[in-house]
Amino acid sequence: MKALSLSRPWTTAVERHGKRAENRARWTPHPHLMRQAEAAVGQDLALHSSGTYDRNGALHIEFHTGVLYGPKDTPSKAITSVVHVAGLLHPGDPWPIGQEAWYFGDTALLFENVRTLTAPVYMPGGLGFWEVKEPYLAQVLAALPKPEETCVECNRVTDGRQRCAACRHPVCIRCATYDDDGALHCPECLEDAS
């Protein structure tokens, strides 16, 4: 499995706040990096929370989410999630719907199916795309949440006791809504009931 290191707390924005565009403007003038990015489309990719803390990035995340993540609020030098690379945006491409706060208009990878690991896998990172080797790969795969343990809305790990009253799928407390009768519902089922 390939991995990509992101300065902290950008991995947290992907895992908790719906960031699905990973901007890589510095790749644009380098054909070999663009070829690697194109080859990543359609593949799973491990996201590594690097040792570098991006203060301006943290302020950007706070502006759009209301949460300020300090240097000690996110794991350092650890793989924290696995995503599927759904596409590659090129300079001048329009913002994907819902990504206006996260896409800066240059080269960017588009993520989907974000799976936050049940526990970070601490390891050194690398520049560009790099290979997750054993024994770390086995640890990453073991820490992937099982489908029945993830929220249908945001893919975060859930408590198996929190299930939508209608569809019975797991849902996290962040995405769930209680109806007038006090029953827990995922956003999709609550919308269908309205």
Side-chain angles (χ1 to χ4, degrees):
M1 182 183 293
K2 298 283 188 188
L4 187 65
S5 293
L6 282 64
S7 298
R8 292 176 295 131
W10 288 113
T11 50
T12 305
V14 172
E15 295 156 4
R16 297 184 186 172
H17 299 291
K19 179 182 185 287
R20 297 295 178 262
E22 173 53 27
N23 300 280
R24 294 287 164 150
R26 62 186 174 272
W27 290 356
T28 306
H30 303 285
H32 70 287
L33 293 174
M34 293 301 290
R35 282 193 298 276
Q36 289 180 26
E38 289 164 2
V41 175
Q43 304 295 316
D44 279 349
L45 182 68
L47 296 187
H48 180 266
S49 187
S50 77
T52 304
Y53 176 75
D54 179 358
R55 175 79 177 147
N56 288 333
L59 293 174
H60 181 86
I61 293 166
E62 179 189 26
F63 180 79
H64 291 286
T65 69
V67 181
L68 177 62
Y69 294 98
K72 295 183 179 179
D73 295 329
T74 57
S76 176
K77 300 180 183 177
I79 291 178
T80 55
S81 57
V82 174
V83 300
H84 186 76
V85 181
L88 178 65
L89 297 173
H90 296 278
D93 282 349
W95 284 297
I97 294 170
Q99 294 301 298
E100 296 82 2
W102 308 117
Y103 176 50
F104 304 146
D106 210 304
T107 297
L109 296 169
L110 282 181
F111 298 151
E112 64 183 9
N113 193 20
V114 176
R115 289 152 286 160
T116 303
L117 301 186
T118 56
V121 176
Y122 292 92
M123 62 179 296
L127 297 174
F129 293 101
W130 47 276
E131 196 77 28
V132 181
K133 297 184 177 173
E134 293 295 351
Y136 301 112
L137 180 57
Q139 293 173 35
V140 169
L141 296 175
L144 279 170
K146 295 170 183 61
E148 64 272 12
E149 297 173 342
T150 58
C151 174
V152 294
E153 186 70 17
C154 70
N155 283 316
R156 291 178 72 185
V157 176
T158 64
D159 178 340
R161 297 169 293 183
Q162 294 179 164
R163 294 188 174 272
C164 174
C167 69
R168 301 305 302 154
H169 283 104
V171 65
C172 72
I173 199 67
R174 179 175 172 251
C175 297
T177 306
Y178 290 93
D179 66 13
D180 294 336
D181 298 325
L184 193 66
H185 289 279
C186 67
E188 188 175 292
C189 289
L190 191 66
E191 190 175 291
D192 290 346
S194 299

